[in-house]
Amino acid sequence: IITSLVFLLMVVTFPISGWFALKIVPTYERMIIFRLGRIRAPQGPGVVLLLPFIDHWQRVDLRTRAFNVPPCKLTSKDGAIISMGADIQFRVWDPVLSVMMVKDLIAATRMTAQNAMTKTLGKKSLREIQVEKLRIGEQLLLEINDMTKSWGLEVDRVELIMEAVLQPPRENLVGPLATVPPVPGLEGLDGTIQQLAAHFFSSTLALAGSGTGAPEAADSVETVNEVEPPTAPLLAAAGSTRRKPSADELLSAVEPVLSEALVGQVGASYQVDIALPSGARSTYFIDLSSKLRGCCVGGSGRAGRGVPEGSPDVVLEVAEKDLQDLFLGDLRPLSAYMSGRLQVKGDLHLALKLEELVKAMKQRR
């Protein structure tokens, strides 16, 4: 009855109603119409009649479209960290499914492609990714289509784009990470979780990758103490209790290890924003750049409270507890970044060079 009344109203008010009720659909589009909430068959190409007030419509483009997957950090099978993106071309083959099954086609397909890319590249070594990029793209094409065919779209092309190699592969890490002997407390981990765990236990993996298999090697792993308490002046001991140094004490321990050699190895300036347990924030700087700002002695770098003169190369955001673990050698910069405990603004490669400062502090102790 409602449809009949609307149609009658449109006839009575014609030709004025014709300006609103008649739509022209080009050959490369289809129009999906919901009449009183119910979907109708795709309309077009040509002239399509819409009933005012009760029809809601949506155009669907059947042409090939493209989008890109933003570069994201991935860990390969051999421990390399790469920044990898992709260009993807797709087209809609079923307009009804594309409207009914998913709200945002590009966003949903981009997320699906990114998940498939992370899962597939995590099983490949860096050399395999570089040499077999086309074959991996074809494999991703099939995997993405398996997941998106129910949405009424088909992916026509996947082109992988390697932005940069953030960390080279480990030469002594052979075979997939799942074959590495389990680390105590992490048994049963595989895939991406095992790869992340590998960063925290690099010494264990190095021994496993050497392939000696000797009982002495296993004993050496058990007796290594990776969190050996630092000696004074980093720690102020009261009796037998251990106290971790504050941010100011850490800064005092950094200044004696600054040298020209360290500036040559690092060559960057850092601004460190520290979140204190009280909720306040404190800012420090460590200038190890080759073009030192201000007054310094012998070009050996400098450190202090506040922001560096000029723009820092890298801005680090970290909690005070995590900063203590970093400077005491209990936590590696890469592991802190991968776990989200260290936020980096700037060049990640320069941020990871902070480990050279940590090594210098350990040698001094």
Side-chain angles (χ1 to χ4, degrees):
I1 296 176
I2 294 176
T3 303
S4 301
L5 292 176
V6 171
F7 186 81
L8 179 61
L9 177 63
M10 186 184 65
V11 172
V12 171
T13 58
F14 192 83
I16 297 177
S17 60
W19 290 100
F20 307 96
L22 298 178
K23 301 292 182 181
I24 298 178
V25 180
T27 304
Y28 56 83
E29 287 185 352
R30 296 295 182 269
M31 183 174 287
I32 304 300
I33 300 175
F34 293 87
R35 180 162 295 171
L36 295 176
R38 295 182 179 180
I39 193 169
R40 304 185 64 200
Q43 304 294 312
V47 179
V48 176
L49 176 65
L50 297 176
L51 298 182
F53 309 114
I54 62 173
D55 281 356
H56 297 276
W57 53 277
Q58 179 176 341
R59 294 178 183 266
V60 178
D61 197 329
L62 302 182
R63 294 174 294 182
T64 298
R65 288 176 284 174
F67 65 88
N68 71 302
V69 177
C72 56
K73 293 184 290 294
L74 303 173
T75 304
S76 62
K77 182 179 67 174
D78 54 359
I81 298 179
I82 59 178
S83 177
M84 180 69 75
D87 290 335
I88 295 179
Q89 296 180 359
F90 75 99
R91 60 183 178 85
V92 174
W93 61 269
D94 191 323
V96 175
L97 288 178
S98 67
V99 173
M100 293 288 293
M101 300 303 296
V102 62
K103 182 177 181 179
D104 191 332
L105 279 179
I106 293 181
T109 308
R110 178 183 285 116
M111 182 177 297
T112 301
Q114 187 171 356
N115 292 338
M117 187 174 64
T118 302
K119 180 179 178 181
T120 301
L121 297 183
K123 301 177 183 178
K124 305 288 184 181
S125 65
L126 177 60
R127 179 174 178 80
E128 290 174 337
I129 296 174
Q130 293 173 333
V131 175
E132 304 177 3
K133 188 183 299 183
L134 293 178
R135 189 180 65 82
I136 297 175
E138 294 174 355
Q139 179 182 349
L140 287 173
L141 178 68
L142 298 177
E143 294 182 4
I144 297 173
N145 277 329
D146 286 341
M147 291 180 279
T148 60
K149 62 183 179 181
S150 61
W151 301 345
L153 64 91
E154 180 181 5
V155 176
D156 295 330
R157 184 169 176 265
V158 176
E159 181 180 355
L160 296 176
I161 301 176
M162 181 178 295
E163 295 288 333
V165 178
L166 303 179
Q167 175 177 300
R170 299 180 189 166
E171 298 178 356
N172 57 351
L173 185 60
V174 294
L177 291 176
T179 62
V180 177
V183 179
L186 298 176
E187 294 83 353
L189 295 181
D190 57 2
T192 305
I193 300 179
Q194 186 69 279
Q195 294 175 20
L196 294 178
H199 293 297
F200 291 90
F201 299 94
S202 56
S203 59
T204 303
L205 294 176
L207 292 173
S210 62
T212 56
E216 291 79 0
D219 293 338
S220 64
V221 174
E222 294 177 1
T223 56
V224 169
N225 185 4
E226 296 187 353
V227 291
E228 181 179 357
T231 58
L234 288 181
L235 293 180
S240 60
T241 61
R242 178 189 178 189
R243 182 184 68 84
K244 289 189 175 182
S246 64
D248 290 329
E249 292 171 338
L250 285 173
L251 182 64
S252 300
V254 167
E255 293 178 345
V257 303
L258 300 180
S259 63
E260 294 184 19
L262 193 60
V263 170
Q265 291 176 339
V266 178
S269 63
Y270 302 88
Q271 175 180 323
V272 186
D273 296 332
I274 306 173
L276 303 177
S278 61
R281 302 185 71 87
S282 184
T283 301
Y284 296 84
F285 72 90
I286 303 174
D287 196 342
L288 296 173
S289 61
S290 55
K291 297 180 180 179
L292 293 176
R293 307 168 181 86
C295 179
C296 59
V297 179
S300 59
R302 60 195 184 112
R305 178 186 287 270
V307 298
E309 298 179 6
S311 300
D313 298 311
V314 182
V315 178
L316 307 175
E317 296 181 2
V318 64
E320 184 181 37
K321 177 181 180 301
D322 296 329
L323 181 70
Q324 294 167 346
D325 293 339
L326 281 170
F327 277 63
L328 297 179
D330 298 347
L331 179 64
R332 296 182 58 194
L334 177 60
S335 302
Y337 174 74
M338 296 293 291
S339 61
R341 299 164 67 180
L342 175 65
Q343 303 295 326
V344 177
K345 296 180 180 178
D347 193 332
L348 178 61
H349 180 68
L350 293 179
L352 296 181
K353 283 189 176 182
L354 197 64
E355 190 163 359
E356 299 297 334
L357 176 61
V358 177
K359 291 180 181 178
M361 295 177 63
K362 292 178 67 175
Q363 291 176 357
R364 183 178 180 84
R365 297 199 303 269

